[in-house]
Amino acid sequence: AHSRFPSLARAYAASTPPPRPSAKDIQALFGGDNAFPAEWPFSKEDFRRYDESSDSMFYGRPRLVYHIDEKAVKALSDLYRKLIVKKQVEIGALPNVLDICSSWISYLPSDLYKGQAAPPRVSLLGMNQDELEKNPHGTDFAVRDLNDDPTFPLPDNEYHFVFCAMSIDYLTKPLEVIKEAGRVLKPGGSVVLSFSNRLFVTKAVALWTGSSDLDHMYYTGNFIHFSKMFSPPKAYDISPSSNSDPLYYVTATKL
């Protein structure tokens, strides 16, 4: 697929740091009757990687690091707090969460989960068992390479949120993964896909590399749209400052 925003993509490739999309551009991204094409716009080539070796090998060694800077980490945790507290008020309890492409950190606000007599379910799906065992939030976990098997070993209608942080750019079967998110979410539950422009470039899909942040939001919205399981997607820029890592998310609600 070609960039929907070629001038931004060229600027993105040429600039250090790359330009950030305007609030007006983001607001208009999924507006109007022509927001999405009539048919799935991507090819197999769009999801090829420079390094096509086994992901299990690449992620076999634990990486106990953050993949975004401290300001962006706090911004994502603050977003999760806002979403979780709003859902808690709505349902009268802390919501069940599934964190896919998870690791040793899930960006969840720890204080919300301390001292709970009946803690909510916080399930983790990730590539590395050592990392998942060190995650302080998980109540259960499964090791799963979603590029090899994009199904979730989890029941239908179980979760209020499916979170995916800094990983949508590595998924070679994103449509199948988003459909699985829809399957395990409760009606009215939300998928929240966050990303920056920091990545392992050899493992990111071709669709992602060399395209702009606005393209990334648009592509992610397409993954949600073509699952046919969610409300129209919305995109947001929650970058904490001009001198921090950029941070965006695309979200939608299960119908």
Side-chain angles (χ1 to χ4, degrees):
H2 296 290
S3 171
R4 183 176 169 90
F5 312 98
S7 61
L8 281 177
R10 288 193 295 271
Y12 187 92
S15 300
T16 305
R20 296 187 182 180
S22 70
K24 181 179 179 181
D25 285 340
I26 295 172
Q27 186 176 8
L29 192 59
F30 302 128
D33 296 333
N34 298 317
F36 299 103
E39 298 179 355
W40 178 248
F42 309 119
S43 69
K44 288 184 178 180
E45 292 299 312
D46 291 324
F47 298 102
R48 292 185 63 83
R49 287 92 50 83
Y50 181 81
D51 178 2
E52 291 286 7
S53 65
S54 169
D55 288 342
S56 296
M57 293 176 59
F58 184 84
Y59 295 103
R61 177 175 56 84
R63 291 179 171 88
L64 305 181
V65 297
Y66 291 105
H67 298 286
I68 47 178
D69 65 25
E70 290 183 7
K71 291 180 180 178
V73 167
K74 184 178 185 304
L76 185 56
S77 182
D78 287 348
L79 169 67
Y80 284 178
R81 177 186 299 278
K82 177 181 176 182
L83 296 175
I84 288 168
V85 168
K86 182 178 179 181
K87 180 62 71 171
Q88 182 181 19
V89 171
E90 177 185 327
I91 66 175
L94 283 169
N96 292 341
V97 169
L98 169 60
D99 185 33
I100 65 171
C101 305
S102 188
S103 65
W104 70 285
I105 184 71
S106 292
Y107 304 98
L108 296 172
S110 296
D111 60 295
L112 289 181
Y113 291 89
K114 287 181 179 178
Q116 296 294 321
R121 186 172 186 183
V122 179
S123 300
L124 313 174
L125 289 185
M127 291 287 296
N128 187 285
Q129 181 168 335
D130 289 340
E131 291 185 10
L132 297 174
E133 287 176 344
K134 288 179 172 61
N135 190 308
H137 297 119
T139 57
D140 56 275
F141 72 82
V143 176
R144 183 73 109 204
D145 179 353
L146 294 177
N147 286 341
D148 180 57
D149 180 0
T151 63
F152 302 171
L154 298 164
D156 297 354
N157 305 315
E158 178 74 5
Y159 301 94
H160 300 93
F161 291 106
V162 172
F163 293 143
C164 179
M166 314 311 133
S167 296
I168 190 69
D169 42 330
Y170 302 119
L171 294 178
T172 60
K173 302 179 180 76
L175 181 59
E176 291 89 338
V177 170
I178 298 303
K179 286 181 177 179
E180 277 291 276
R183 179 184 65 80
V184 303
L185 278 168
K186 297 175 182 290
S190 298
V191 61
V192 182
L193 310 170
S194 59
F195 48 89
S196 183
N197 61 9
R198 307 294 186 256
L199 45 78
F200 299 122
V201 69
T202 60
K203 280 297 186 180
V205 298
L207 187 68
W208 206 268
T209 57
S211 54
S212 71
D213 290 338
L214 201 62
D215 279 313
H216 299 160
M217 286 181 259
Y218 182 71
Y219 300 153
T220 304
N222 270 270
F223 304 156
I224 292 171
H225 171 77
F226 281 97
S227 75
K228 302 184 185 306
M229 300 182 74
F230 292 90
S231 64
K234 296 181 179 180
Y236 299 92
D237 180 353
I238 55 169
S239 305
S241 68
S242 60
N243 62 353
S244 71
D245 287 344
L247 186 62
Y248 311 97
Y249 75 98
V250 179
T251 186
T253 301
K254 180 180 176 179
L255 298 174

